[in-house]
Amino acid sequence: STDKGLMSYKYHLSMGTKRPRDDEEEELKTRRKQAGARERNRYREEEGVAVEEADDDKKKLLQRIDREGEEEEEEDEPLDESSVKKMILTFEKRSYKNQELRIKFPDNPEKFMESELDLNDIIQEMHVVATMPDLYHLLVELNAVQSLLGLLGHDNTDILTFLLLELTDIDTLHESEEGAEVLIDALVDGQVAALLVQNLERLDESVKEEADGVHNTLAIVENMAEFRPEMCTEAAQQGLMQWLLKRLKAKMPFDANKLYCSEVLAILLQDNDDNRELLGELDGIDVLLQQLSVFKRHNPGTAEEQEMMENLFDSLCSCLMLSSNRERFLKGEGLQLMNLMLREKKISRSSALKVLDHAMIGPEGTDNCHKFVDILGLRTIFPLFMKSPKKIKKVGTTEKEHEGKISPGTGENRMEICKRIACCSCLYPCAYSWTLICFQDMVRRGEIIDDDIEDEFYLRRLDAGLFVLQHICYIMAEICNASVPQIRQRVHQILNMRGSSIKIVRHIIKEYAENIGDGKNQEFQENEQKRILELLENF
C-alpha cells in the first residue's frame, strides 16, 4: 500500500493538477497587481533614499561653499599680525586633527579625508605669509615651523615643499634679515636637512608630482645654503651628500633633477674641506669620474647636459684641493681619463686641463706629476701648448687661459718649446700693464697705498695676464738650468729679437717667488722661494 501511495504521489507531481482556465487568468492578474505594487513601493523607497542622499550632498556642498566664501572674505581683509596669528593657529588645529584621525583610522582613508582637505586648504592660505618675512617670527613663536617639518613625512608632501620653497626664497629672505635669521635658525634646529633627505628617499620620480617635489626640495637646500653657507656642512653630514651621489649615478635618463643635483653638489663642496673629505670617504671621486667618462668621446647633447658636465668638473676640481682626494684621484685612474679627454678634442678638453692643474699643483701633487709622465701625458700636453686651439668650443675659455693651464717641463723637442715660451713671455706684459699704470698713477697723486690696496692691484694684475706670464718665465728659468747651453743661448736670442730682456724676466720671477704659497705649508713655501731664487742665479 505504501508503494501504491508513493507511485500515486509521483504521478500527480508529473502530470500536475488542472484548474479551470478562468481561475488561472484571475490568479495571474492578482500576481501581476501584487508585483506591481511591490515594485512601486521599492521605487518610492529608493527614490526617497536617493533624495535624502542628494540633500545631504547638497547641504555639504553648500556648507563648503559658505566656508570658502567666508575664507575669501577673510582673505580680502588686509593681513596684519593678528590675522596671520589666526591663520597659523587654524593650521595648528587642522594639522593636529588630521594627525589624530590618521592614527585612529590608519586603514580607512575615508575617515580622515575631510581633515586632509581642510589641512590642504589652510596650507594653501599660508603661502601669503611668504610675502611678509618680517612676520616669520610668528611661525616660530607659535610652533608652526615644527608642525610643518613634522608634515614632511606626510603622503602629500609636494604642497608642503612648495610652501617651504616660497618661505625660503632668497629674495624674500633678504627683504627682512631679522625675520629670515629666525626662520632659518628654527629650520636648522629642527633638522630640516635630515627630514628633507628622508622625504627624498621615498619619492618616486617616475610620478610627475613627486619629481617636482624632488626639484622643490633641492631648491630649498640651495636657498638656505645661499643665505647661510655654513649649513652646507650639516646638510651633507645629515645624508644629503650620500643621496646626491646615489642620484647622480642612478641609471636614469638625463633630466632637470640630475642637472640640479650636480649644481647642489658643487655648492656643498665650495670652500668646504669637511664636505670634500666626506665625498672622498663616500667614494665620490669614483662617482664623479664615472659620470664624466661619458663625455670622453661624446659631446653633451644639450646645453643643460653641458652645464651638468661643467658642474661635475667643478666639483672634482674642488675636491682635489684636498690632498687626500688627490691620492684617491690617482688610484681611480683619473689622470688616464683626463689624458684621453685631451686627445679626443671634445668640449670636455678644456675642463680636463683644469682638473689636471688642480691634481698636480703643489707638493701634494708630486705623485700625480710622476704618474702623468709615466702614462706619456707630455705627448698629449705639449702639442696643446705649442699651438692652442683657434676655436675653443666652451664659451668663456680664452687662448690665454688655455696656455695658463699647461706647464711643460723637460721632454722632447726642447728647442721648439723654449722658443714658444720665449715668444709668449714677450706677448703677455701688455695684457696686464694697464693695472700697473693705474697703480703708478695713484702713487703719483699721493694717495695712501695700504696693504689691502696693494694686494687688490696685485690680484687684478694676476687676472689680467700676470699669472700666466709668471709661470711662463718660471718654466723658462727651469729649462735654462737644464745644463744645455744651446737652450739658454736660444732663449736670450729670442728675447732680444722680441724687444724684451733677461732683466724683465728676472723681475717677474722674483715677484712670483715673493708671493708664492697659500700659507698652509710655511716650510714648503720657504723652500720653494729659495729654490726659485737659485734658478735666477744661473739664468
Short mmCIF file of all heavy atoms in Angstrom, two decimals, residues 155 157 198-205 210-211 213-214 217:
data_model
loop_
_atom_site.label_atom_id
_atom_site.label_comp_id
_atom_site.label_asym_id
_atom_site.label_seq_id
_atom_site.Cartn_x
_atom_site.Cartn_y
_atom_site.Cartn_z
N ASP A 155 51.93 61.96 3.27
CA ASP A 155 51.85 61.38 1.92
C ASP A 155 51.90 62.43 0.83
O ASP A 155 52.54 62.24 -0.21
CB ASP A 155 50.54 60.57 1.79
CG ASP A 155 50.57 59.31 2.64
OD1 ASP A 155 51.67 58.88 3.00
OD2 ASP A 155 49.49 58.78 2.95
N THR A 157 53.44 65.48 0.17
CA THR A 157 54.44 66.46 0.59
C THR A 157 54.72 67.52 -0.47
O THR A 157 55.39 68.50 -0.18
CB THR A 157 55.77 65.75 0.92
OG1 THR A 157 56.18 64.98 -0.22
CG2 THR A 157 55.63 64.86 2.12
N GLN A 198 65.10 62.36 4.10
CA GLN A 198 64.15 61.25 4.30
C GLN A 198 63.00 61.33 3.31
O GLN A 198 62.55 60.32 2.77
CB GLN A 198 63.62 61.27 5.73
CG GLN A 198 64.65 60.91 6.79
CD GLN A 198 64.10 61.06 8.20
OE1 GLN A 198 62.89 61.18 8.40
NE2 GLN A 198 64.98 61.07 9.19
N ASN A 199 62.54 62.54 3.07
CA ASN A 199 61.46 62.74 2.11
C ASN A 199 61.93 62.39 0.69
O ASN A 199 61.21 61.76 -0.09
CB ASN A 199 60.99 64.19 2.17
CG ASN A 199 59.76 64.43 1.32
OD1 ASN A 199 58.84 63.63 1.31
ND2 ASN A 199 59.76 65.52 0.60
N LEU A 200 63.16 62.78 0.34
CA LEU A 200 63.71 62.48 -0.98
C LEU A 200 63.81 60.97 -1.21
O LEU A 200 63.58 60.49 -2.32
CB LEU A 200 65.10 63.11 -1.12
CG LEU A 200 65.15 64.64 -1.31
CD1 LEU A 200 66.58 65.13 -1.20
CD2 LEU A 200 64.56 65.04 -2.64
N GLU A 201 64.16 60.25 -0.16
CA GLU A 201 64.36 58.81 -0.27
C GLU A 201 63.09 58.08 -0.70
O GLU A 201 63.14 57.06 -1.39
CB GLU A 201 64.85 58.23 1.06
CG GLU A 201 66.26 58.64 1.47
CD GLU A 201 67.33 57.88 0.70
OE1 GLU A 201 66.98 57.05 -0.16
OE2 GLU A 201 68.52 58.13 0.96
N ARG A 202 61.93 58.60 -0.31
CA ARG A 202 60.69 57.87 -0.58
C ARG A 202 59.92 58.40 -1.80
O ARG A 202 58.89 57.86 -2.15
CB ARG A 202 59.77 57.89 0.65
CG ARG A 202 59.25 59.27 1.03
CD ARG A 202 58.49 59.22 2.35
NE ARG A 202 57.86 60.50 2.67
CZ ARG A 202 56.70 60.89 2.19
NH1 ARG A 202 56.03 60.11 1.38
NH2 ARG A 202 56.19 62.06 2.53
N LEU A 203 60.45 59.43 -2.44
CA LEU A 203 59.77 59.98 -3.61
C LEU A 203 60.10 59.18 -4.86
O LEU A 203 61.24 58.78 -5.07
CB LEU A 203 60.16 61.45 -3.82
CG LEU A 203 59.66 62.44 -2.77
CD1 LEU A 203 60.17 63.83 -3.06
CD2 LEU A 203 58.14 62.44 -2.71
N ASP A 204 59.08 58.95 -5.67
CA ASP A 204 59.23 58.20 -6.92
C ASP A 204 59.20 59.20 -8.08
O ASP A 204 58.16 59.77 -8.40
CB ASP A 204 58.08 57.19 -7.05
CG ASP A 204 58.17 56.37 -8.34
OD1 ASP A 204 59.18 56.50 -9.06
OD2 ASP A 204 57.23 55.61 -8.61
N GLU A 205 60.35 59.39 -8.72
CA GLU A 205 60.45 60.42 -9.75
C GLU A 205 59.76 60.05 -11.05
O GLU A 205 59.68 60.87 -11.97
CB GLU A 205 61.92 60.76 -10.00
CG GLU A 205 62.59 61.44 -8.82
CD GLU A 205 63.98 61.95 -9.14
OE1 GLU A 205 64.12 62.77 -10.06
OE2 GLU A 205 64.94 61.49 -8.48
N GLU A 210 55.79 63.88 -7.81
CA GLU A 210 56.88 63.56 -6.89
C GLU A 210 58.22 64.01 -7.45
O GLU A 210 59.12 64.40 -6.70
CB GLU A 210 56.88 62.06 -6.58
CG GLU A 210 55.61 61.60 -5.89
CD GLU A 210 55.71 60.20 -5.31
OE1 GLU A 210 56.83 59.72 -5.10
OE2 GLU A 210 54.65 59.60 -5.07
N ALA A 211 58.37 63.99 -8.77
CA ALA A 211 59.59 64.53 -9.39
C ALA A 211 59.68 66.04 -9.13
O ALA A 211 60.77 66.56 -8.86
CB ALA A 211 59.59 64.24 -10.89
N GLY A 213 58.44 67.43 -6.54
CA GLY A 213 58.79 67.51 -5.12
C GLY A 213 60.29 67.41 -4.91
O GLY A 213 60.86 68.11 -4.06
N VAL A 214 60.97 66.57 -5.68
CA VAL A 214 62.43 66.45 -5.60
C VAL A 214 63.08 67.77 -6.00
O VAL A 214 63.99 68.27 -5.33
CB VAL A 214 62.94 65.30 -6.51
CG1 VAL A 214 64.46 65.33 -6.62
CG2 VAL A 214 62.48 63.95 -5.97
N THR A 217 62.58 70.38 -3.32
CA THR A 217 63.41 70.09 -2.16
C THR A 217 64.85 70.56 -2.38
O THR A 217 65.46 71.17 -1.50
CB THR A 217 63.40 68.58 -1.86
OG1 THR A 217 62.05 68.15 -1.62
CG2 THR A 217 64.24 68.27 -0.62
#
